[in-house]
Amino acid sequence: MATEAVTDAHGGESALQFHPMDQFIVKPLFGDGAVHWYTITNATFWMALTVLAIVLLLVMGTSKRATIPSRTQSVAELAYGFVYKMIEDVTGKDGIKYFPYIMTLFMFIVFANFLGLLPLAFTTTSHIAVTAVLAFAVFFAVTILGFVKNGAHFLELFWVKSAPLALRPILAIIELISYFVRPVSHSVRLAGNMMAGHAVIKVFAGFAAIAAIAPLSVVAVAAMYGLEVLVAFIQAYVFTILTCVYLKDALHPAH
């Protein structure tokens, strides 16, 4: 619950306490006890549901491939076209071969975000442990790809040829630092936005227990929920388009 009554020394309810962060606690799905690497938790359960939802949409929903598509097929085709166009616009034709990986990233994040908005759901993308794995996977993949495709010329990414010669070493250090900060900002941005929005919704929901401000609380929850629906898609889009930008740098490192 978002709130709980605090009992004072005389047995009366003296105040309300909010626990908006409890919704992010990773717990065993069955029973209690410590969480080990092999423990099935609420986080792994909702990640499994995310994968299942993606399979149902992209595999089962498009299995018939009708000329006049069903609603499910239309959504799947819209998602496919959206990501394909994004990759093509940012990276050019060279990046299209990496479409399956980027499509997988986008679909996992967007479904995890939306499923996290369901009542009693667990938002897996609110955990830095999840988003960091996604971000570092992108970081290592594009870095390795950059060296494989370009060899030592990949280091030209950090050498700003258009700048005055005296400033190039300083800019190279700045570019190098910003490059290694990428996975941190990439992961924290997604986790932070999802956690903050859900925490605010839980706080507003907690105020609904106070009769005097319950109507305002309901309105605030509805408004925040609508905003979070938008944020859920935008954060998936931002994560994906940044991945495309990093891929572009790996394919074409020269400034």
mmCIF file of all heavy atoms in Angstrom, residues 24-40:
data_model
loop_
_atom_site.group_PDB
_atom_site.id
_atom_site.type_symbol
_atom_site.label_atom_id
_atom_site.label_comp_id
_atom_site.label_asym_id
_atom_site.label_seq_id
_atom_site.Cartn_x
_atom_site.Cartn_y
_atom_site.Cartn_z
ATOM 1 N N PHE A 24 9.393 -0.780 -5.768
ATOM 2 C CA PHE A 24 10.588 -1.127 -6.544
ATOM 3 C C PHE A 24 11.435 -2.219 -5.879
ATOM 4 O O PHE A 24 12.495 -2.559 -6.384
ATOM 5 C CB PHE A 24 11.449 0.125 -6.749
ATOM 6 C CG PHE A 24 10.708 1.272 -7.381
ATOM 7 C CD1 PHE A 24 10.481 2.445 -6.660
ATOM 8 C CD2 PHE A 24 10.222 1.179 -8.665
ATOM 9 C CE1 PHE A 24 9.794 3.500 -7.225
ATOM 10 C CE2 PHE A 24 9.534 2.234 -9.244
ATOM 11 C CZ PHE A 24 9.312 3.396 -8.523
ATOM 12 N N ILE A 25 10.959 -2.749 -4.760
ATOM 13 C CA ILE A 25 11.719 -3.786 -4.056
ATOM 14 C C ILE A 25 11.611 -5.107 -4.821
ATOM 15 O O ILE A 25 10.513 -5.547 -5.175
ATOM 16 C CB ILE A 25 11.199 -3.972 -2.619
ATOM 17 C CG1 ILE A 25 11.384 -2.675 -1.809
ATOM 18 C CG2 ILE A 25 11.908 -5.135 -1.933
ATOM 19 C CD1 ILE A 25 10.785 -2.735 -0.416
ATOM 20 N N VAL A 26 12.744 -5.718 -5.075
ATOM 21 C CA VAL A 26 12.775 -7.027 -5.739
ATOM 22 C C VAL A 26 12.532 -8.104 -4.684
ATOM 23 O O VAL A 26 13.274 -8.199 -3.702
ATOM 24 C CB VAL A 26 14.122 -7.256 -6.454
ATOM 25 C CG1 VAL A 26 14.172 -8.650 -7.064
ATOM 26 C CG2 VAL A 26 14.346 -6.195 -7.517
ATOM 27 N N LYS A 27 11.496 -8.921 -4.904
ATOM 28 C CA LYS A 27 11.117 -9.947 -3.933
ATOM 29 C C LYS A 27 10.991 -11.298 -4.627
ATOM 30 O O LYS A 27 10.721 -11.370 -5.823
ATOM 31 C CB LYS A 27 9.767 -9.595 -3.294
ATOM 32 C CG LYS A 27 9.716 -8.227 -2.630
ATOM 33 C CD LYS A 27 8.309 -7.944 -2.146
ATOM 34 C CE LYS A 27 8.208 -6.549 -1.524
ATOM 35 N NZ LYS A 27 6.815 -6.232 -1.103
ATOM 36 N N PRO A 28 11.189 -12.388 -3.861
ATOM 37 C CA PRO A 28 10.928 -13.713 -4.441
ATOM 38 C C PRO A 28 9.473 -13.822 -4.861
ATOM 39 O O PRO A 28 8.571 -13.350 -4.163
ATOM 40 C CB PRO A 28 11.254 -14.674 -3.289
ATOM 41 C CG PRO A 28 12.153 -13.896 -2.386
ATOM 42 C CD PRO A 28 11.706 -12.469 -2.493
ATOM 43 N N LEU A 29 9.241 -14.412 -6.001
ATOM 44 C CA LEU A 29 7.869 -14.553 -6.487
ATOM 45 C C LEU A 29 7.085 -15.557 -5.652
ATOM 46 O O LEU A 29 5.875 -15.411 -5.466
ATOM 47 C CB LEU A 29 7.884 -14.979 -7.959
ATOM 48 C CG LEU A 29 6.555 -14.915 -8.708
ATOM 49 C CD1 LEU A 29 6.033 -13.484 -8.768
ATOM 50 C CD2 LEU A 29 6.704 -15.476 -10.113
ATOM 51 N N PHE A 30 7.782 -16.572 -5.149
ATOM 52 C CA PHE A 30 7.132 -17.600 -4.335
ATOM 53 C C PHE A 30 7.791 -17.629 -2.956
ATOM 54 O O PHE A 30 8.983 -17.870 -2.834
ATOM 55 C CB PHE A 30 7.265 -18.975 -4.997
ATOM 56 C CG PHE A 30 6.749 -19.005 -6.407
ATOM 57 C CD1 PHE A 30 7.645 -19.030 -7.468
ATOM 58 C CD2 PHE A 30 5.387 -18.993 -6.677
ATOM 59 C CE1 PHE A 30 7.190 -19.065 -8.769
ATOM 60 C CE2 PHE A 30 4.920 -19.021 -7.977
ATOM 61 C CZ PHE A 30 5.820 -19.044 -9.030
ATOM 62 N N GLY A 31 7.002 -17.357 -1.928
ATOM 63 C CA GLY A 31 7.509 -17.398 -0.574
ATOM 64 C C GLY A 31 8.353 -16.188 -0.226
ATOM 65 O O GLY A 31 8.370 -15.173 -0.926
ATOM 66 N N ASP A 32 9.067 -16.305 0.888
ATOM 67 C CA ASP A 32 9.940 -15.241 1.370
ATOM 68 C C ASP A 32 11.379 -15.749 1.438
ATOM 69 O O ASP A 32 11.666 -16.885 1.105
ATOM 70 C CB ASP A 32 9.483 -14.771 2.765
ATOM 71 C CG ASP A 32 8.072 -14.199 2.734
ATOM 72 O OD1 ASP A 32 7.773 -13.444 1.790
ATOM 73 O OD2 ASP A 32 7.276 -14.531 3.636
ATOM 74 N N GLY A 33 12.231 -14.873 1.888
ATOM 75 C CA GLY A 33 13.624 -15.263 2.042
ATOM 76 C C GLY A 33 14.541 -14.428 1.179
ATOM 77 O O GLY A 33 14.125 -13.466 0.518
ATOM 78 N N ALA A 34 15.815 -14.802 1.180
ATOM 79 C CA ALA A 34 16.818 -14.041 0.438
ATOM 80 C C ALA A 34 16.679 -14.273 -1.061
ATOM 81 O O ALA A 34 16.179 -15.306 -1.508
ATOM 82 C CB ALA A 34 18.218 -14.457 0.906
ATOM 83 N N VAL A 35 17.132 -13.287 -1.805
ATOM 84 C CA VAL A 35 17.120 -13.376 -3.268
ATOM 85 C C VAL A 35 18.504 -13.796 -3.743
ATOM 86 O O VAL A 35 19.499 -13.117 -3.487
ATOM 87 C CB VAL A 35 16.729 -12.019 -3.902
ATOM 88 C CG1 VAL A 35 16.849 -12.090 -5.410
ATOM 89 C CG2 VAL A 35 15.326 -11.630 -3.489
ATOM 90 N N HIS A 36 18.583 -14.931 -4.403
ATOM 91 C CA HIS A 36 19.829 -15.427 -4.973
ATOM 92 C C HIS A 36 19.781 -15.293 -6.489
ATOM 93 O O HIS A 36 18.748 -14.918 -7.059
ATOM 94 C CB HIS A 36 20.053 -16.886 -4.563
ATOM 95 C CG HIS A 36 20.075 -17.093 -3.082
ATOM 96 N ND1 HIS A 36 21.148 -16.754 -2.280
ATOM 97 C CD2 HIS A 36 19.128 -17.598 -2.245
ATOM 98 C CE1 HIS A 36 20.889 -17.051 -1.026
ATOM 99 N NE2 HIS A 36 19.664 -17.568 -0.969
ATOM 100 N N TRP A 37 20.886 -15.627 -7.154
ATOM 101 C CA TRP A 37 20.931 -15.467 -8.607
ATOM 102 C C TRP A 37 19.940 -16.377 -9.315
ATOM 103 O O TRP A 37 19.475 -16.080 -10.420
ATOM 104 C CB TRP A 37 22.346 -15.747 -9.124
ATOM 105 C CG TRP A 37 22.806 -17.163 -8.954
ATOM 106 C CD1 TRP A 37 23.494 -17.675 -7.903
ATOM 107 C CD2 TRP A 37 22.607 -18.245 -9.873
ATOM 108 N NE1 TRP A 37 23.741 -19.019 -8.094
ATOM 109 C CE2 TRP A 37 23.212 -19.393 -9.307
ATOM 110 C CE3 TRP A 37 21.988 -18.357 -11.111
ATOM 111 C CZ2 TRP A 37 23.191 -20.632 -9.943
ATOM 112 C CZ3 TRP A 37 21.972 -19.595 -11.746
ATOM 113 C CH2 TRP A 37 22.576 -20.701 -11.164
ATOM 114 N N TYR A 38 19.552 -17.466 -8.664
ATOM 115 C CA TYR A 38 18.634 -18.422 -9.287
ATOM 116 C C TYR A 38 17.184 -18.217 -8.828
ATOM 117 O O TYR A 38 16.284 -18.929 -9.287
ATOM 118 C CB TYR A 38 19.059 -19.858 -8.963
ATOM 119 C CG TYR A 38 19.264 -20.110 -7.485
ATOM 120 C CD1 TYR A 38 18.194 -20.387 -6.646
ATOM 121 C CD2 TYR A 38 20.543 -20.035 -6.924
ATOM 122 C CE1 TYR A 38 18.377 -20.600 -5.287
ATOM 123 C CE2 TYR A 38 20.737 -20.260 -5.572
ATOM 124 C CZ TYR A 38 19.656 -20.541 -4.765
ATOM 125 O OH TYR A 38 19.838 -20.745 -3.416
ATOM 126 N N THR A 39 16.944 -17.257 -7.938
ATOM 127 C CA THR A 39 15.605 -17.033 -7.404
ATOM 128 C C THR A 39 14.702 -16.397 -8.454
ATOM 129 O O THR A 39 15.083 -15.424 -9.122
ATOM 130 C CB THR A 39 15.658 -16.117 -6.170
ATOM 131 O OG1 THR A 39 16.535 -16.685 -5.195
ATOM 132 C CG2 THR A 39 14.271 -15.957 -5.564
ATOM 133 N N ILE A 40 13.497 -16.947 -8.600
ATOM 134 C CA ILE A 40 12.501 -16.340 -9.483
ATOM 135 C C ILE A 40 11.838 -15.200 -8.709
ATOM 136 O O ILE A 40 11.177 -15.429 -7.701
ATOM 137 C CB ILE A 40 11.449 -17.361 -9.935
ATOM 138 C CG1 ILE A 40 12.123 -18.508 -10.691
ATOM 139 C CG2 ILE A 40 10.394 -16.698 -10.814
ATOM 140 C CD1 ILE A 40 11.172 -19.622 -11.083
#
